[in-house]
Amino acid sequence: AGYGDVIEREPEAVIQDLRDGLINAADAERVYGVMTTAGTMNLDAEATTARREKLLAERKSRAKPYSEFIEAWQKQSPPEKVLQYYGHYPFPDQAAQGA
């Protein structure tokens, strides 16, 4: 647990979690971008750098401008049944809340 981007976590800390059995090698690679040398629980720093660069590039390829994100986000809404208690989505209607 903690704050921040998982691929900015110190690789040595991820390796320690791996050694402590808190995560497995697949999660170290997939989630944290930390690579080990073949058949060991030792950090492969060069492969870790390359993996993290790849993960960042993948994120960037899925990114969109804020205006596009917010347009799609605002089309999402809770079910009408819930909105009767909440009010207008995404900004609640004070009257619907009894305020």
Side-chain angles (χ1 to χ4, degrees), residues 30-92:
R30 184 179 56 82
V31 176
Y32 296 94
V34 172
M35 306 297 291
T36 59
T37 55
T40 73
M41 291 188 192
N42 297 320
L43 176 66
D44 183 334
E46 191 173 307
T48 294
T49 298
R51 175 70 179 150
R52 287 181 166 189
E53 287 173 357
K54 181 179 179 191
L55 289 172
L56 285 172
E58 289 171 356
R59 287 182 186 176
K60 287 179 182 180
S61 75
R62 295 188 306 265
K64 59 178 90 175
Y66 178 76
S67 59
E68 289 179 28
F69 163 78
I70 202 68
E71 182 180 335
W73 179 262
Q74 288 180 337
K75 290 179 183 175
Q76 299 179 24
S77 175
E80 213 41 58
K81 184 176 181 178
V82 173
L83 290 178
Q84 68 180 331
Y85 303 107
Y86 182 79
H88 178 72
Y89 183 82
F91 305 106

Side-chain angles (χ1 to χ4, degrees), residues 9 12-24 32:
R9 186 158 186 239
E12 293 80 8
V14 176
I15 292 294
Q16 190 59 54
D17 286 349
L18 181 61
R19 289 179 179 150
D20 291 344
L22 299 174
I23 61 172
N24 59 42
Y32 296 94

